[in-house]
Amino acid sequence: MNKYEQIAQDIYNDIANGKYEPGSQLALEKEMCAQYGVSRITVKRAVDELVKQGLVVKRRGSGTFVKGVQEEDVENVGTCGQFGGFSNTHRGRRVSTDVKKFEIVHPSAEAAEKLKISTDDFVYDIVRVRYLEGMPENVEYTQMPIEVIPGIKQEVLRNSIYNYIEGTLKLQIQSAHRVISADMPTEAEKKYLQIDGVLPVLQVAQVAFLSDGRPFEYSRSRHRADTSVFRAVSIK
C-alpha cells in the first residue's frame, strides 16, 4: 500500500469510528504533512482519494469537511471506490469459501473480449460459494488469464485472491467496471445459497483492472436478494 493510501485509510477509519463527525473539518494539509512526515503532494492525493469515495468535500479557502454520510454507508462506501474483494470488504467477520470448480480452460468469446485476450489463451475457470458468519452469501463465477495472474492454487481460492495478487504477486489492483442486475437463480444456485421457494438473486458482473490498465478478472457474483445491499455515493 502506498503512503497516500495509508493516510487515506487512516482518515477513512477515523470517519467510520466517529472521530470526525459530519460537517467537521479535517486537519489542514500542512498539519497532516507534519503528522505523517510526507510531502503536501502525498497528503493531497490522500484527500483526493476520499473526495472520490464521496466521504469528504473540499471548500475553496476553507478546508476539507466530512460529508453527512450515514454510518452504514461509511462502512460500505469503500467498495464503490478502491476495493479489496469479499474477504477484505467483510474484514473482522467470519468469512469462508467452498470451491466448487477450479479448472484451466480456453475463455469463451465474451470472456476473451472482456479480458482483452484470445480464445486460444488460457484462463482459470473458478466457481466459489462465499459464506459470511456460516451463511451462504453469494456464488462467484470468475475467469482470470493465467499469463496475467500466475500461480493460483486451491489454497489461494479458499482465502483471498486479491490478497494473493497484491501481497504475493506485488501487483496493484486499480479499478473495476460493474453492472448490477436482478435475475432468477439456477437450480444449482438455489442449492448453494439455500434458497427455498421464489427468491431472485442480484448479479454483479465485473471486469477488474490492474494499475497498468490490464484487465485481470471477468466475474459474475450472484447474491441472495434478501441479505445483500449495495450502496454507492455519487459525486459531482
Side-chain angles (χ1 to χ4, degrees):
M1 185 181 290
N2 294 322
K3 190 64 178 179
Y4 83 90
E5 293 174 317
Q6 295 175 3
I7 296 170
Q9 186 63 50
D10 281 352
I11 299 172
Y12 169 94
N13 291 338
D14 287 341
I15 294 173
N17 293 333
K19 179 179 178 180
Y20 289 113
E21 303 217 353
S24 63
Q25 184 176 2
L26 297 185
L28 299 176
E29 288 187 357
K30 64 180 181 181
E31 294 172 346
M32 285 192 273
C33 289
Q35 178 184 350
Y36 291 102
V38 297
S39 69
R40 199 154 188 164
I41 293 176
T42 300
V43 169
K44 184 178 183 303
R45 286 193 70 184
V47 173
D48 286 346
E49 187 62 38
L50 296 169
V51 171
K52 286 195 299 181
Q53 294 183 20
L55 291 175
V56 302
V57 60
K58 288 184 175 181
R59 296 176 186 164
R60 186 181 299 274
S62 298
T64 304
F65 296 82
V66 177
K67 294 176 69 174
V69 183
Q70 295 295 321
E71 180 181 353
E72 63 268 23
D73 293 331
V74 172
E75 292 173 353
N76 288 280
V77 71
T79 62
C80 303
Q82 290 191 337
F83 58 97
F86 187 82
S87 297
N88 289 330
T89 299
H90 298 287
R91 185 176 297 166
R93 303 182 67 183
R94 182 161 56 94
V95 172
S96 56
T97 302
D98 184 7
V99 181
K100 297 295 184 182
K101 180 181 179 182
F102 181 37
E103 298 178 356
I104 294 175
V105 301
H106 293 297
S108 66
E110 178 185 17
E113 192 278 327
K114 299 288 187 183
L115 295 169
K116 306 304 180 188
I117 59 177
S118 165
T119 53
D120 291 330
D121 290 322
F122 288 96
V123 296
Y124 304 106
D125 190 22
I126 304 162
V127 179
R128 300 189 295 173
V129 180
R130 312 305 297 276
Y131 295 83
L132 189 60
E133 304 295 351
M135 297 300 295
E137 182 74 10
N138 66 66
V139 184
E140 294 178 353
Y141 304 88
T142 304
Q143 292 200 345
M144 290 184 173
I146 292 176
E147 185 175 344
V148 178
I149 309 296
I152 289 182
K153 295 180 171 55
Q154 284 275 355
E155 184 62 25
V156 172
L157 300 183
R158 286 191 290 268
N159 292 283
S160 170
I161 299 177
Y162 281 17
N163 285 349
Y164 170 76
I165 290 171
E166 295 199 309
T168 301
L169 298 183
K170 305 302 181 184
L171 299 172
Q172 184 178 351
I173 298 170
Q174 183 68 38
S175 62
H177 298 171
R178 294 173 176 150
V179 176
I180 300 177
S181 59
D183 197 4
M184 297 306 295
T186 65
E187 289 302 316
E189 288 166 351
K190 285 183 179 181
K191 180 180 177 181
Y192 293 155
L193 297 175
Q194 299 178 14
I195 293 175
D196 294 321
V198 179
L199 179 70
V201 293
L202 296 177
Q203 173 175 283
V204 181
Q206 171 174 291
V207 180
F209 298 84
L210 299 174
S211 58
D212 60 10
R214 288 181 295 169
F216 73 90
E217 174 193 65
Y218 174 51
S219 65
R220 292 179 301 115
S221 57
R222 311 262 288 180
H223 303 250
R224 287 183 60 112
D226 59 343
T227 60
S228 299
V229 177
F230 295 91
R231 297 182 175 93
V233 176
S234 297
I235 59 175
K236 185 176 180 180

